[in-house]
Amino acid sequence: MGKIYVCSDIHSHLDVLEDALSDLNDDDILYIIGDAVDKGPDGLLPLLKIMEDQRCRMLMGNHDLMMLQYLACLNHEDSVRKSDMNEIRRTWLQLNGGLETLKSYVLLDPEKQQEVLHFLESLPLAVNVETEEDKFLLVHAAVPAEYEDLDGTVPLDVVRDAEYPFLYDWKNDFVWSRNIKLVEDKVIISGHTFVQNYGSDEIIAAGEFHWFDIDCGLALNNSHSRLAVVCLNTMEIRYYFPKGETERM
Ligand SMILES: [Mn+2]
């Protein structure tokens, strides 16, 4: 039987994703807990790889949601308030590296663009995973209290506007929070906050190992940046380093 692996914050680095996938068996599963796009050198290639590799299961990150919200607003420009459009444009394109991702997106043919949009719309905000050893709650940033006890999957719909279904609460806690919050009887695995912010280059465990931060800073594009892949069956950790230039901003 296959094993279950988790990684996060690939941030447009194709080589580390490909290296990680080449170490997996055909019946293994790799959860990517958000932020496949922005910051790195490879545009949408990692996201397209995730879409096509049957072993990949992706969750929503704040960068992926900013991309979805920006493109959804463009498609509904007539019904979007100018101030909302300006805010998502500024936050994604100017402050969070979305411009390179957008350039990569517009080069896709219209059919592929639709596929990407539908894929982003399908991404869950949180997923519960059980192994024989433990119960895990996977989320990009943090799980709001009202969803802690939920089994299964939290869909993107819970942050979707009831009146305007192309609008999302794109600053929601699932993808943006930096609070460390433990959940009884579950091991939380999240990304979003660089372990380098805590003075480490490797995965950080806290709360007597009921919480792991696995974002090892690929978005920083420096010599400390790496992808961490954790096996949930064995808790073995593998690290993958980008081969491109370092110290790139
Ligand atoms: Mn993030």
Side-chain angles (χ1 to χ4, degrees), residues 9 35 62 140 192:
D9 295 84
D35 282 3
N62 56 313
H140 182 65
H192 187 53

Side-chain angles (χ1 to χ4, degrees), residues 41-89:
D42 297 316
L44 282 179
L45 292 177
L47 186 70
L48 297 174
K49 180 85 191 163
I50 290 164
M51 287 166 63
E52 83 189 15
D53 193 304
Q54 302 289 316
R55 297 169 295 178
C56 293
R57 309 273 186 283
M58 186 160 153
L59 277 73
M60 186 64 91
N62 56 313
H63 285 263
D64 318 301
L65 187 51
M66 283 187 279
M67 175 182 178
L68 172 61
Q69 186 60 94
Y70 177 79
L71 294 170
C73 282
L74 271 193
N75 287 341
H76 296 86
E77 216 161 1
D78 294 346
S79 5
V80 180
R81 280 189 309 186
K82 216 166 179 232
S83 56
D84 288 346
M85 189 70 209
N86 285 341
E87 197 196 354
I88 184 65
R89 179 188 288 124

Side-chain angles (χ1 to χ4, degrees), residues 10 34 49 86 93 103 113 116 153 157 160 197-198 218 231:
I10 287 169
K49 180 85 191 163
N86 285 341
L93 296 183
K103 284 183 193 165
Q113 291 182 347
V116 168
T153 292
D157 281 346
R160 193 193 278 271
N197 286 2
Y198 304 105
L218 280 172
C231 178

